[in-house]
Amino acid sequence: MKNKKPGRPNRKNVPKNNTQKPKGQDLNKNLPQLIENKDRILTAREFQGLAQVPPEIEWFNNIQNPRTKQAYSIDVTEFTRFVGIKSPEEFRIVTRAHVIAWRKDLERRQFSPTSIRRKFSALSSLFDYLCEAHAVTHNPVKGVERPHADANEGKTPAIADAQAKILLDAPNPETLKGKRDRAILATFLFHGLRRDELCTLKVRDLHMRRGIPHLRIHGKGGKIRFIPAHPAALDRINEYLEAAGHKENIDGPLFRPVKNNSTGNLEKSLSPRAVYFNVVKFYAEQSGLNVSGFCTHSLRATAATNALEHEADIAKVQEWLGHSNISTTRLYDRRRSRPEESPTFKVSY
């Protein structure tokens, strides 16, 4: 039997260094600390239940805007009734043929092209989500011909500059309600806000940015944009705040009721309904504005049209209005349809 050479230890017998960290231990430091069962907020049953929620339900619950949620609910429910879907999972066997048949049924029932396109958008949004969740392989709405809508000009009527001036000066500047309403109309006509955007304004949303007064606008989809405050509107807002006395209440609503016969609460924001009936519609009728289809959105259309006619860059107007797609902004571009430039007035005999 041969003797082993001394001085050279057998590697198999060398003890491992206990200070060496196991593989992956450093990665564990980045993991959230596990909590005890007694500290969890969701019960095990609730946790398992949420894990089994169909993606179709996830899509609907993930819509944050209440108006969008209501509209999409109506449109998708209408589709489910048409094709006879009884469970969320049945959406996964919908084909393009089903969507085409639904379009033909909507056309037979004389829905407008705009309404049909909106319904298709709702259904397409659902299937886009299912594609992301790997519940379906493709969106059956895509590729289906949608009816052509009039994309040259929006249907919301804009008023003329002279009419806008009359409307701006209609409220009584001596009363608190008049001061508030003058500020509201100026905020609409000088900044092109949506009705909901005006109603959600807080006092702190009027603030300075780089030395210039700005309005912080809470737009659709939770998007925030900043608009420089027009001097004419700013003067009216400040005059209203001084008279109303809530200028220092920065977390409170900017525009508030001047009276509340039901609860007496004057520290809440004006409702969209009150803005339309008690301000926009009221002063339009008082001023003798006889414009078919006139509504709160007409003030937004008027502001956009006026800005474009005074050579504002359309891409800047898109940001100003908070449009996701510039094609929506083009609906307000009426520069190619000015009546005074019509060939009608070039005819001479």
Side-chain angles (χ1 to χ4, degrees), residues 282-347:
F282 176 80
Y283 292 109
E285 292 177 351
Q286 183 176 302
S287 303
L289 290 182
N290 186 17
V291 179
S292 177
F294 181 80
C295 58
T296 308
H297 206 76
S298 297
L299 304 184
R300 177 172 165 87
T302 301
T305 301
N306 187 284
L308 289 167
E309 287 183 342
H310 287 87
E311 308 304 326
D313 183 85
I314 193 168
K316 292 292 184 183
V317 175
Q318 176 191 356
E319 297 176 7
W320 188 61
L321 295 173
H323 287 156
S324 299
N325 195 315
I326 199 169
S327 62
T328 308
T329 312
R330 290 195 180 99
L331 296 176
Y332 298 104
D333 192 352
R334 296 172 166 90
R335 288 173 291 183
R336 291 179 295 178
S337 59
R338 293 173 179 168
E340 64 271 18
E341 295 180 1
S342 170
T344 298
F345 300 109
K346 304 297 182 184
V347 177

Coordinates of all heavy atoms in Angstrom, one line a residue, residues 282-347:
F282 N -78.4 79.4 -18.0 CA -79.1 80.6 -17.4 C -78.7 81.9 -18.1 O -79.5 82.7 -18.6 CB -78.8 80.7 -15.9 CG -79.4 81.9 -15.3 CD1 -80.8 81.9 -14.9 CD2 -78.7 83.0 -15.0 CE1 -81.4 83.1 -14.4 CE2 -79.2 84.2 -14.4 CZ -80.6 84.2 -14.1
Y283 N -77.4 82.1 -18.3 CA -76.9 83.4 -18.9 C -77.0 83.3 -20.4 O -77.1 84.4 -21.0 CB -75.5 83.6 -18.4 CG -75.4 84.0 -16.9 CD1 -74.8 83.1 -16.0 CD2 -75.9 85.2 -16.5 CE1 -74.8 83.4 -14.7 CE2 -75.9 85.5 -15.1 CZ -75.3 84.6 -14.2 OH -75.3 84.9 -12.9
A284 N -77.0 82.1 -21.0 CA -77.2 82.1 -22.4 C -78.6 82.5 -22.8 O -78.8 83.3 -23.7 CB -76.9 80.6 -22.9
E285 N -79.6 82.1 -22.0 CA -80.9 82.5 -22.2 C -81.1 84.0 -21.9 O -81.8 84.7 -22.6 CB -81.9 81.7 -21.4 CG -82.0 80.2 -21.8 CD -82.8 79.4 -20.9 OE1 -83.3 79.9 -19.9 OE2 -83.1 78.2 -21.3
Q286 N -80.5 84.4 -20.8 CA -80.6 85.8 -20.4 C -80.0 86.8 -21.5 O -80.4 87.9 -21.7 CB -79.9 86.1 -19.1 CG -80.0 87.5 -18.5 CD -79.4 87.6 -17.2 OE1 -79.7 86.9 -16.2 NE2 -78.4 88.4 -17.0
S287 N -78.9 86.3 -22.2 CA -78.2 87.1 -23.2 C -78.9 87.0 -24.5 O -78.4 87.6 -25.5 CB -76.7 86.6 -23.3 OG -76.1 86.7 -22.0
G288 N -79.9 86.1 -24.7 CA -80.5 85.9 -26.0 C -79.7 85.1 -27.0 O -79.9 85.3 -28.2
L289 N -78.9 84.3 -26.5 CA -78.1 83.4 -27.4 C -79.0 82.3 -27.9 O -79.4 81.4 -27.1 CB -76.9 82.8 -26.7 CG -75.7 83.7 -26.3 CD1 -74.6 83.0 -25.7 CD2 -75.2 84.5 -27.6
N290 N -79.4 82.3 -29.1 CA -80.2 81.3 -29.7 C -79.4 80.4 -30.6 O -79.4 80.6 -31.9 CB -81.4 82.0 -30.4 CG -82.4 81.0 -30.9 OD1 -82.4 79.8 -30.5 ND2 -83.2 81.4 -31.9
V291 N -78.6 79.5 -30.0 CA -77.7 78.7 -30.8 C -78.2 77.2 -30.6 O -78.2 76.7 -29.5 CB -76.3 78.8 -30.4 CG1 -75.4 77.9 -31.1 CG2 -75.8 80.3 -30.5
S292 N -78.6 76.5 -31.7 CA -79.0 75.2 -31.6 C -77.9 74.2 -31.1 O -76.8 74.3 -31.6 CB -79.5 74.7 -33.0 OG -79.9 73.3 -32.9
G293 N -78.3 73.5 -30.0 CA -77.3 72.5 -29.5 C -76.3 73.1 -28.5 O -75.3 72.5 -28.1
F294 N -76.5 74.4 -28.1 CA -75.6 75.1 -27.2 C -75.6 74.4 -25.9 O -76.6 74.0 -25.3 CB -76.0 76.5 -27.0 CG -75.1 77.3 -26.1 CD1 -73.9 77.8 -26.6 CD2 -75.4 77.5 -24.8 CE1 -73.0 78.5 -25.8 CE2 -74.6 78.2 -23.9 CZ -73.4 78.7 -24.4
C295 N -74.4 74.1 -25.3 CA -74.2 73.5 -24.0 C -72.9 73.9 -23.4 O -72.2 74.8 -24.0 CB -74.2 71.9 -24.2 SG -72.9 71.3 -25.3
T296 N -72.5 73.4 -22.3 CA -71.3 73.7 -21.6 C -70.1 73.5 -22.5 O -69.1 74.2 -22.5 CB -71.1 73.0 -20.3 OG1 -72.3 73.2 -19.5 CG2 -70.0 73.5 -19.5
H297 N -70.1 72.3 -23.2 CA -69.0 72.0 -24.1 C -68.8 73.0 -25.2 O -67.8 73.1 -25.8 CB -69.2 70.6 -24.7 CG -68.0 69.9 -25.0 ND1 -67.1 69.3 -24.1 CD2 -67.4 69.7 -26.2 CE1 -66.1 68.8 -24.7 NE2 -66.2 69.0 -26.0
S298 N -69.9 73.8 -25.5 CA -69.8 74.8 -26.5 C -68.7 75.8 -26.2 O -68.1 76.4 -27.0 CB -71.1 75.5 -26.8 OG -72.1 74.5 -27.3
L299 N -68.6 76.1 -24.9 CA -67.6 77.1 -24.4 C -66.2 76.6 -24.6 O -65.3 77.3 -25.0 CB -67.8 77.4 -22.9 CG -69.2 77.9 -22.5 CD1 -69.2 78.2 -21.1 CD2 -69.6 79.1 -23.4
R300 N -66.0 75.2 -24.5 CA -64.7 74.6 -24.8 C -64.4 74.7 -26.3 O -63.3 75.0 -26.7 CB -64.7 73.2 -24.3 CG -63.5 72.4 -24.6 CD -63.6 71.0 -23.8 NE -62.7 70.0 -24.3 CZ -61.5 69.8 -23.8 NH1 -61.0 70.6 -22.8 NH2 -60.7 68.8 -24.2
A301 N -65.4 74.4 -27.1 CA -65.3 74.5 -28.5 C -65.0 75.9 -29.0 O -64.2 76.1 -29.9 CB -66.5 74.0 -29.2
T302 N -65.6 76.9 -28.3 CA -65.4 78.3 -28.7 C -64.0 78.7 -28.3 O -63.3 79.4 -29.2 CB -66.4 79.2 -27.9 OG1 -67.7 78.8 -28.2 CG2 -66.2 80.6 -28.2
A303 N -63.5 78.3 -27.2 CA -62.1 78.6 -26.8 C -61.1 78.0 -27.8 O -60.1 78.7 -28.2 CB -61.8 78.1 -25.4
A304 N -61.3 76.7 -28.1 CA -60.4 76.0 -29.0 C -60.4 76.7 -30.4 O -59.3 76.9 -31.0 CB -60.7 74.6 -29.1
T305 N -61.6 77.0 -30.9 CA -61.7 77.6 -32.2 C -61.1 78.9 -32.3 O -60.4 79.3 -33.2 CB -63.2 77.7 -32.6 OG1 -63.8 76.4 -32.6 CG2 -63.4 78.3 -34.0
N306 N -61.3 79.7 -31.2 CA -60.7 81.1 -31.1 C -59.2 81.0 -31.1 O -58.5 81.8 -31.8 CB -61.3 81.8 -29.9 CG -60.8 83.2 -29.9 OD1 -59.7 83.6 -29.6 ND2 -61.8 84.1 -30.2
A307 N -58.6 80.1 -30.3 CA -57.2 80.0 -30.3 C -56.6 79.6 -31.6 O -55.6 80.1 -32.1 CB -56.8 78.9 -29.2
L308 N -57.2 78.6 -32.3 CA -56.7 78.2 -33.6 C -56.9 79.3 -34.7 O -56.0 79.5 -35.5 CB -57.5 77.0 -34.1 CG -57.2 75.7 -33.3 CD1 -58.2 74.6 -33.6 CD2 -55.8 75.2 -33.7
E309 N -58.0 80.1 -34.6 CA -58.1 81.2 -35.6 C -57.2 82.3 -35.4 O -56.9 83.1 -36.3 CB -59.6 81.7 -35.5 CG -60.6 80.7 -36.1 CD -62.0 81.3 -36.1 OE1 -62.2 82.3 -35.3 OE2 -62.9 80.8 -36.8
H310 N -56.6 82.4 -34.2 CA -55.6 83.4 -33.9 C -54.2 82.8 -33.9 O -53.3 83.2 -33.2 CB -55.8 84.0 -32.5 CG -57.0 85.0 -32.5 ND1 -58.3 84.5 -32.3 CD2 -57.1 86.3 -32.7 CE1 -59.1 85.5 -32.3 NE2 -58.4 86.6 -32.6
E311 N -54.0 81.8 -34.8 CA -52.7 81.2 -35.2 C -52.0 80.4 -34.0 O -50.8 80.3 -34.1 CB -51.8 82.3 -35.7 CG -52.4 83.1 -36.8 CD -52.8 82.3 -38.0 OE1 -52.2 81.3 -38.3 OE2 -53.9 82.7 -38.6
A312 N -52.8 79.9 -33.1 CA -52.2 79.0 -32.1 C -51.8 77.7 -32.8 O -52.5 77.2 -33.6 CB -53.1 78.8 -30.9
D313 N -50.6 77.2 -32.4 CA -50.2 75.9 -33.0 C -51.1 74.8 -32.5 O -51.4 74.6 -31.4 CB -48.7 75.6 -32.5 CG -48.2 74.3 -33.1 OD1 -47.6 74.4 -34.2 OD2 -48.3 73.3 -32.5
I314 N -51.5 74.0 -33.5 CA -52.5 72.9 -33.2 C -52.0 71.9 -32.2 O -52.8 71.4 -31.4 CB -53.1 72.3 -34.5 CG1 -54.3 71.5 -34.2 CG2 -52.0 71.4 -35.1 CD1 -55.1 71.0 -35.4
A315 N -50.7 71.6 -32.2 CA -50.1 70.7 -31.3 C -50.2 71.2 -29.9 O -50.4 70.5 -28.9 CB -48.7 70.3 -31.7
K316 N -50.0 72.6 -29.8 CA -50.1 73.2 -28.4 C -51.5 73.2 -28.0 O -51.8 73.1 -26.8 CB -49.5 74.6 -28.5 CG -48.0 74.7 -28.8 CD -47.3 74.2 -27.6 CE -45.8 74.4 -27.7 NZ -45.0 73.8 -26.6
V317 N -52.4 73.4 -28.9 CA -53.9 73.4 -28.5 C -54.3 72.0 -28.0 O -55.1 71.9 -27.1 CB -54.7 73.9 -29.7 CG1 -56.2 73.7 -29.4 CG2 -54.4 75.3 -30.1
Q318 N -53.7 71.0 -28.7 CA -54.0 69.6 -28.2 C -53.6 69.4 -26.8 O -54.3 68.9 -26.0 CB -53.2 68.6 -29.1 CG -53.3 67.2 -28.7 CD -52.3 66.3 -29.4 OE1 -51.6 66.7 -30.3 NE2 -52.3 65.0 -29.0
E319 N -52.4 69.9 -26.4 CA -51.9 69.8 -25.0 C -52.8 70.6 -24.1 O -53.1 70.2 -23.0 CB -50.4 70.2 -24.9 CG -49.5 69.4 -25.7 CD -48.1 69.9 -25.7 OE1 -47.8 70.9 -24.9 OE2 -47.2 69.4 -26.4
W320 N -53.1 71.8 -24.6 CA -53.9 72.7 -23.8 C -55.3 72.1 -23.4 O -55.8 72.3 -22.3 CB -54.1 74.0 -24.7 CG -54.7 75.2 -24.1 CD1 -54.3 75.9 -23.0 CD2 -55.9 75.9 -24.6 NE1 -55.1 77.0 -22.8 CE2 -56.1 77.0 -23.7 CE3 -56.7 75.6 -25.6 CZ2 -57.2 77.9 -23.9 CZ3 -57.8 76.5 -25.8 CH2 -58.0 77.6 -25.0
L321 N -55.9 71.4 -24.4 CA -57.2 70.8 -24.2 C -57.1 69.5 -23.5 O -58.1 69.0 -23.0 CB -57.9 70.7 -25.5 CG -58.3 71.9 -26.3 CD1 -58.9 71.6 -27.7 CD2 -59.3 72.8 -25.5
G322 N -55.9 68.9 -23.5 CA -55.8 67.6 -22.8 C -56.3 66.4 -23.7 O -56.7 65.4 -23.2
H323 N -56.1 66.6 -25.0 CA -56.5 65.5 -26.0 C -55.4 64.5 -26.1 O -54.2 64.9 -26.3 CB -56.8 66.1 -27.4 CG -58.1 66.9 -27.4 ND1 -58.4 67.8 -28.4 CD2 -59.2 66.8 -26.7 CE1 -59.6 68.3 -28.2 NE2 -60.1 67.7 -27.1
S324 N -55.7 63.2 -26.1 CA -54.7 62.2 -26.3 C -54.4 62.1 -27.8 O -53.2 61.8 -28.1 CB -55.3 60.8 -25.9 OG -55.6 60.9 -24.5
N325 N -55.3 62.4 -28.7 CA -55.1 62.3 -30.1 C -55.4 63.6 -30.8 O -56.4 64.3 -30.6 CB -56.0 61.2 -30.7 CG -55.6 60.8 -32.1 OD1 -55.3 61.6 -32.9 ND2 -55.6 59.5 -32.3
I326 N -54.5 64.0 -31.7 CA -54.6 65.3 -32.3 C -55.8 65.4 -33.3 O -56.3 66.4 -33.6 CB -53.3 65.7 -33.1 CG1 -53.3 67.2 -33.3 CG2 -53.1 64.9 -34.4 CD1 -51.9 67.7 -33.8
S327 N -56.3 64.2 -33.7 CA -57.4 64.2 -34.6 C -58.7 64.7 -33.9 O -59.5 65.3 -34.5 CB -57.7 62.7 -35.1 OG -58.0 61.9 -34.0
T328 N -58.7 64.6 -32.6 CA -59.8 65.1 -31.8 C -59.7 66.6 -31.8 O -60.8 67.4 -31.9 CB -59.8 64.6 -30.3 OG1 -59.7 63.2 -30.3 CG2 -61.0 65.1 -29.6
T329 N -58.5 67.2 -31.7 CA -58.3 68.6 -31.7 C -58.7 69.2 -33.1 O -59.3 70.3 -33.1 CB -56.8 69.0 -31.4 OG1 -56.4 68.2 -30.3 CG2 -56.7 70.4 -31.1
R330 N -58.5 68.5 -34.1 CA -58.8 69.0 -35.5 C -60.3 69.2 -35.7 O -60.7 69.9 -36.5 CB -58.3 68.0 -36.5 CG -56.8 68.0 -36.7 CD -56.3 67.3 -38.0 NE -54.9 67.3 -38.1 CZ -54.1 66.2 -37.8 NH1 -54.7 65.1 -37.3 NH2 -52.8 66.3 -37.9
L331 N -61.1 68.5 -34.8 CA -62.6 68.7 -34.9 C -63.0 70.2 -34.6 O -64.0 70.7 -35.0 CB -63.3 67.8 -34.0 CG -63.2 66.3 -34.3 CD1 -63.9 65.5 -33.2 CD2 -63.7 65.9 -35.7
Y332 N -62.1 70.8 -33.8 CA -62.4 72.2 -33.4 C -61.8 73.2 -34.4 O -61.9 74.4 -34.3 CB -61.8 72.5 -32.1 CG -62.4 71.7 -31.0 CD1 -61.7 70.6 -30.4 CD2 -63.6 72.0 -30.5 CE1 -62.2 69.9 -29.4 CE2 -64.2 71.2 -29.4 CZ -63.5 70.2 -28.9 OH -64.0 69.4 -27.9
D333 N -61.0 72.7 -35.4 CA -60.4 73.6 -36.4 C -61.3 73.9 -37.5 O -61.5 73.2 -38.5 CB -59.1 72.9 -37.0 CG -58.2 73.9 -37.7 OD1 -58.7 75.0 -37.9 OD2 -57.1 73.5 -38.1
R334 N -62.0 75.1 -37.4 CA -63.0 75.5 -38.4 C -62.5 76.6 -39.3 O -63.2 77.3 -40.0 CB -64.2 76.0 -37.6 CG -64.9 74.9 -36.8 CD -66.0 75.5 -36.0 NE -66.9 74.5 -35.4 CZ -66.7 73.9 -34.3 NH1 -65.7 74.2 -33.5 NH2 -67.6 73.0 -33.8
R335 N -61.1 76.7 -39.4 CA -60.6 77.7 -40.3 C -60.9 77.5 -41.7 O -60.9 78.5 -42.5 CB -59.0 77.8 -40.0 CG -58.7 78.4 -38.7 CD -57.2 78.3 -38.4 NE -56.7 76.9 -38.2 CZ -55.5 76.6 -37.9 NH1 -54.6 77.5 -37.8 NH2 -55.2 75.3 -37.7
R336 N -61.1 76.3 -42.1 CA -61.4 76.0 -43.5 C -62.8 76.2 -43.9 O -63.2 76.0 -45.0 CB -60.9 74.6 -43.9 CG -59.4 74.4 -43.9 CD -59.0 73.0 -44.2 NE -59.5 72.1 -43.2 CZ -59.3 70.7 -43.2 NH1 -58.7 70.2 -44.2 NH2 -59.7 70.0 -42.2
S337 N -63.7 76.4 -42.9 CA -65.1 76.6 -43.1 C -65.6 77.9 -42.6 O -66.8 78.0 -42.2 CB -65.8 75.4 -42.4 OG -65.6 75.4 -41.0
R338 N -64.8 79.0 -42.8 CA -65.3 80.3 -42.4 C -66.3 80.7 -43.4 O -66.1 80.8 -44.6 CB -64.1 81.3 -42.4 CG -63.1 81.0 -41.3 CD -61.9 81.9 -41.4 NE -60.9 81.7 -40.4 CZ -59.7 82.2 -40.4 NH1 -59.3 82.9 -41.4 NH2 -58.9 82.0 -39.4
P339 N -67.5 81.1 -43.0 CA -68.6 81.5 -43.9 C -68.2 82.7 -44.8 O -68.5 82.8 -46.0 CB -69.8 81.8 -43.0 CG -69.5 81.1 -41.7 CD -68.0 81.1 -41.6
E340 N -67.4 83.6 -44.2 CA -67.1 84.9 -44.9 C -66.1 84.6 -46.0 O -66.0 85.4 -46.9 CB -66.5 85.9 -43.9 CG -65.2 85.5 -43.3 CD -65.4 84.7 -42.0 OE1 -66.5 84.2 -41.8 OE2 -64.4 84.7 -41.2
E341 N -65.5 83.4 -46.0 CA -64.5 83.1 -47.1 C -65.2 82.2 -48.2 O -64.5 81.7 -49.0 CB -63.3 82.4 -46.5 CG -62.5 83.4 -45.6 CD -61.2 82.7 -45.1 OE1 -61.0 81.5 -45.4 OE2 -60.5 83.4 -44.3
S342 N -66.4 81.9 -48.1 CA -67.1 81.0 -49.0 C -67.2 81.6 -50.4 O -67.3 82.9 -50.6 CB -68.6 80.8 -48.5 OG -69.3 80.1 -49.5
P343 N -67.1 80.8 -51.4 CA -67.2 81.3 -52.8 C -68.6 81.9 -53.0 O -68.7 82.7 -54.0 CB -67.1 80.0 -53.6 CG -66.2 79.1 -52.8 CD -66.7 79.4 -51.4
T344 N -69.5 81.7 -52.2 CA -70.8 82.3 -52.3 C -70.7 83.8 -52.4 O -71.4 84.5 -53.2 CB -71.7 82.0 -51.1 OG1 -72.0 80.6 -51.1 CG2 -73.1 82.7 -51.2
F345 N -69.8 84.4 -51.6 CA -69.7 85.8 -51.6 C -68.7 86.4 -52.6 O -68.4 87.6 -52.7 CB -69.2 86.3 -50.2 CG -70.2 85.9 -49.1 CD1 -69.8 84.8 -48.2 CD2 -71.4 86.4 -49.0 CE1 -70.7 84.5 -47.2 CE2 -72.3 86.1 -48.0 CZ -71.9 85.1 -47.1
K346 N -68.2 85.4 -53.5 CA -67.3 85.9 -54.6 C -68.1 86.0 -55.9 O -67.6 86.5 -56.9 CB -66.2 84.9 -54.8 CG -65.3 84.6 -53.5 CD -64.6 85.9 -53.1 CE -63.7 85.6 -51.9 NZ -63.1 86.8 -51.4
V347 N -69.4 85.4 -55.8 CA -70.2 85.5 -57.0 C -70.8 86.9 -57.2 O -71.3 87.5 -56.3 CB -71.4 84.4 -56.9 CG1 -72.3 84.5 -58.1 CG2 -70.8 83.0 -56.7

